[in-house]
Amino acid sequence: DYQFQGFEWMSRLSKWGMGACLADDMGLGKTIQALAVMISHASKGPCLVIAPTSVCMNWHTEISRFAPTLNSIQLGTGDREKIIKNLKKLDVLI
C-alpha cells in the first residue's frame, strides 16, 4: 500500500505540473515507485535520473529488472551532447 500511495502521489503532482522528491529510509521502495511513474510517462519522452555515481549502476540494474521496456542510458564518457540530443521515448538517462 505504501508504494502504491507514493506512486499515486507522484502521479498527481506530475499531472499538476510539479515535481517530487522521495526521501525516506532505505528499502521502502522509492526506486520502484519512481520506475512506475517513469513507465506511466514513457510515451511522452525521455526521463532523467539524477543520482550519485556510486548508485548509477544500481539504477541501470533496477530498470533492467523491474522496467525492461525502458532503455537505461548511463551518462559518462563519450559525446554527452550527442547522447542527450538522441534521447527518445522510453529512454532513461542516468
Side-chain angles (χ1 to χ4, degrees):
D1 289 341
Y2 173 82
Q3 291 172 343
F4 186 71
Q5 289 173 359
F7 167 76
E8 286 182 320
W9 176 70
M10 288 188 293
S11 296
R12 187 170 38 257
L13 290 178
S14 176
K15 188 174 182 178
W16 296 340
M18 301 172 67
C21 179
L22 294 177
D24 60 18
D25 293 333
M26 288 179 57
L28 295 178
K30 294 179 295 296
T31 303
I32 298 298
Q33 292 172 55
L35 288 174
V37 172
M38 288 180 206
I39 291 168
S40 71
H41 285 80
S43 65
K44 298 175 185 175
C47 291
L48 174 65
V49 171
I50 300 172
T53 304
S54 61
V55 298
C56 288
M57 192 61 199
N58 187 53
W59 269 97
H60 174 73
T61 302
E62 297 296 293
I63 290 169
S64 298
R65 181 176 177 196
F66 295 110
T69 58
L70 299 177
N71 177 36
S72 66
I73 301 165
Q74 285 191 244
L75 189 61
T77 59
D79 189 342
R80 291 177 175 208
E81 187 174 335
K82 182 179 178 182
I83 292 169
I84 292 169
K85 283 183 180 180
N86 290 324
L87 290 173
K88 56 192 176 304
K89 296 175 182 179
L90 302 177
D91 287 345
V92 178
L93 181 64
I94 305 168

